[in-house]
Amino acid sequence: MGEPYDAVLFDNDGVLTTPTDREVLLEAMHDAFADVGVLDPSRAQVRTLLGPSVDSLREVADDHDVDPHELWQARERAAIETQLQELEAGRKRRYDDVDAVADLEDDVGTAIVSNNQHETIGNILERFDLEWVDRWYGREPTVKGIDRKKPTPYYLELALEELGAEDALFVGDSWVDVEAADAAGIDAAFLRRDHVQGVGLPREPAYEIESLAEIPRLL
Ligand SMILES: [Mg+2]
């Protein structure tokens, strides 16, 4: 591990774009329940649907006698739609310092590896003209996609393989990014933006940075 890197991989939410407002996502979870005929989910079930394990998704679905796959599809559709609205309304926006990494593709491979839906990442690329990104990986909208989320390194390893990269740097704003990078055997740069001030990490990342403008000199 260590420089020189042949690829730089980015998390999306909190790194390239602002995170989606949690209250807005919780409202979308209500819509998803309503779509499968559940009009009275508990607050705990609404929170569970926002970030379930496969087991907790099945439990919530069983409680309401609905198919977990249908509930999950409704959940993903609601999350995609609400985030598209947030993008279009300008409430989910691109960080200004993204400009500092737009030229990296001249020297290294680049990719986005996100726990957000693949379709949402596609909407983000389109809206913000991130054409410098070589490859992008969001979560597939199936129950299987839940198990492939970071900290599981599934999509990170896929990105490394498809970029043909051996020594990459992964830039993220969450402990799951630091863990996934470690699991994939690559370095992590933890981006400590305002929304993660004071957040602790399970392990020391290779770098801790405050802006994407610091990335070029790590290469
Ligand atoms: Mg993030």
Side-chain angles (χ1 to χ4, degrees), residues 167-190:
D167 210 352
L169 180 66
F170 186 42
V171 185
D173 70 324
S174 164
W175 71 270
V176 300
D177 300 317
V178 177
E179 286 287 314
D182 186 71
I186 62 173
D187 282 353
F190 181 74

Side-chain angles (χ1 to χ4, degrees), residues 19-34:
T20 307
D21 185 272
R22 185 178 158 85
E23 292 306 313
V24 170
L25 283 174
L26 287 171
E27 270 173 47
M29 297 304 103
H30 279 282
D31 295 343
F33 273 116

Side-chain angles (χ1 to χ4, degrees), residues 11-15 17 19 114-115 150 171-174 176-177 195:
D11 172 42
N12 178 71
D13 290 88
V15 172
T17 75
S114 171
N115 276 356
K150 296 171 286 184
V171 185
D173 70 324
S174 164
V176 300
D177 300 317
H195 64 280

Side-chain angles (χ1 to χ4, degrees), residues 60-135:
V60 169
D62 283 353
D63 283 348
H64 291 284
D65 215 14
V66 297
D67 181 275
H69 297 275
E70 271 175 41
L71 176 59
W72 188 244
Q73 272 177 6
R75 186 265 183 223
E76 292 293 72
R77 180 49 46 199
I80 289 164
E81 281 170 10
T82 206
Q83 292 188 100
L84 183 56
Q85 287 165 10
E86 290 295 288
L87 288 166
E88 286 172 344
R91 288 186 293 267
K92 187 172 180 66
R93 53 177 195 81
R94 201 195 76 142
Y95 288 107
D96 291 340
D97 59 6
V98 172
D99 287 336
V101 292
D103 294 332
L104 291 183
E105 56 156 353
D106 295 344
D107 305 310
V108 293
T110 56
I112 295 174
V113 181
S114 171
N115 276 356
N116 217 325
Q117 301 86 32
H118 193 69
E119 187 172 334
T120 294
I121 299 304
N123 290 336
I124 285 165
L125 289 171
E126 198 172 315
R127 175 153 195 98
F128 297 126
D129 299 324
L130 300 175
E131 70 289 328
W132 52 270
V133 176
D134 293 327
R135 309 234 170 204

